[in-house]
Amino acid sequence: MTLLLSPSMMCADFKNLASDVKQLNEAGVDMYHMDIMDGQYVPNFGLSPEDYQTIRDLTDKPMDAHLMIKNPRQYIKFFAELGTNLVYFCPDAEQQPARTIDDIHAAGMKAGIAVNTGTSFESVKELLPNIDYVLVMTVHPGFAGQPFQDFVMPKLNQFIAAKKQYGYVLGIDGAVSREKIMELHKAGVDNFILGTSALFGKDEDYMTIISDIRKEND
Ligand code: DX5
Ligand code: ZN
C-alpha cells in the first residue's frame, strides 16, 4: 500500500524556510503541499507566488498546488510555469470542471480534485475517470489547526471504495494526526497532508517524525 507524506508548507517556519525545506528533503517527504487561497473562495490567503518560487528553487521533489480560489482554470498556466507537478482544484469553483481537468493535463501536470466538506461524492463522480488524485478535505478549507470533521467519514469511505475502479491516488487534508494516518492508511488512504497535527511545531525534528510515521504504517 502506497504511503505518501506531503508537508503542508503554509505551516512551515517562514523565519527559517530554507532550513525547513532542507530538513524535509532529507527526511524523505514525498510531495510539497502548497495551499493557495484568494480571500474570496475561502476567507484566507495561504501561500504567495513568491513563497511558491522560493520552495521550488529549494527542492527537486514534486510540488502540488491546492487551489482554494475562484476560477482556478484561469491560473493553470501560471502554476505550470511555477513548476507545479499536480494541481488540485475545487470542482464547485468551476462551471465546467471536466474541462479544467483536460486543461491541467494539457499543461503537462497531474490533475486532482479537492473535495470540500460540503461537496458530495455523487456530485464529482463523473470526474473520477479522468482524475489522477483525489483530496478529501477533513477540515473546512482555508485554515490550518482546525478540528477533524468526522461527518466526512462516510464520504471518504465512498472514495476508498471507488479507488480500485478509477485508479486515483486518494489523500486527506486537514487535522491529519499520526493516529488518523494509522487508522486511515489501513482503510485505503494513500496520501496524507501533514500540517500542525502531525509534523510542524513539534519537539522532534522532521527526520524523526517522518521516519516514525513510516515505521508506524509499515
Ligand atoms: C487547510 C489546508 C491544509 C492545512 C492543514 O485549508 O488545505 O493543508 O494547512 O493543516 P492542519 O494539518 O494543521 O489542519
Ligand atoms: Zn491543503
Side-chain angles (χ1 to χ4, degrees):
M1 256 286 282
T2 319
L3 176 67
L4 300 175
L5 302 177
S6 306
S8 179
M9 296 308 285
M10 75 182 270
C11 305
D13 175 3
F14 274 77
K15 295 185 300 303
N16 302 288
L17 188 57
S19 143
D20 255 25
V21 175
K22 181 171 181 303
Q23 289 174 55
L24 289 165
N25 282 336
E26 287 164 2
V29 297
D30 295 290
M31 182 181 304
Y32 286 91
H33 182 72
M34 306 293 286
D35 289 312
I36 308 295
M37 307 173 191
D38 62 4
Q40 300 280 319
Y41 184 74
V42 293
N44 200 0
F45 291 92
L47 297 167
S48 73
E50 292 70 24
D51 297 330
Y52 204 106
Q53 190 62 62
T54 301
I55 294 171
R56 180 70 283 169
D57 295 344
L58 290 167
T59 183
D60 296 331
K61 288 181 181 287
M63 293 175 71
D64 71 26
H66 178 189
L67 302 186
M68 290 166 270
I69 64 174
K70 284 183 165 177
N71 307 314
R73 193 170 160 227
Q74 288 175 0
Y75 298 94
I76 291 169
K77 192 161 169 293
F78 178 80
F79 281 96
E81 286 165 3
L82 270 180
T84 303
N85 303 93
L86 158 63
V87 168
Y88 292 110
F89 71 99
C90 305
D92 48 272
E94 281 292 27
Q95 299 300 322
Q96 303 301 337
R99 187 196 290 275
T100 305
I101 294 168
D102 290 350
D103 290 355
I104 294 169
H105 285 147
M109 298 181 287
K110 295 280 188 200
I113 51 173
V115 184
N116 289 322
T117 44
T119 304
S120 69
F121 173 85
E122 290 73 17
S123 69
V124 300
K125 192 162 177 278
E126 287 72 22
L127 303 176
L128 298 181
N130 295 321
I131 208 78
D132 307 299
Y133 284 72
V134 171
L135 190 66
V136 174
M137 294 304 295
T138 41
V139 295
H140 303 310
F143 298 90
Q146 299 180 91
F148 192 96
Q149 297 293 322
D150 288 315
F151 77 93
V152 307
M153 284 308 298
K155 171 175 60 176
L156 179 59
N157 288 327
Q158 288 179 289
F159 281 104
I160 290 173
K163 210 177 80 163
K164 282 180 276 309
Q165 182 180 351
Y166 297 108
Y168 46 74
V169 176
L170 177 61
I172 58 169
D173 183 8
V176 177
S177 65
R178 287 167 67 162
E179 295 71 25
K180 281 291 175 203
I181 297 172
M182 284 190 275
E183 175 198 339
L184 296 175
H185 184 239
K186 275 197 204 82
V189 177
D190 310 297
N191 180 25
F192 295 91
I193 307 302
L194 307 180
T196 61
S197 308
L199 185 62
F200 294 100
K202 306 293 180 199
D203 295 339
E204 308 99 319
D205 61 48
Y206 299 142
M207 174 83 80
T208 304
I209 296 173
I210 295 293
S211 92
D212 286 353
I213 293 175
R214 294 203 191 278
K215 278 186 215 130
E216 287 160 2
N217 293 279
D218 205 357

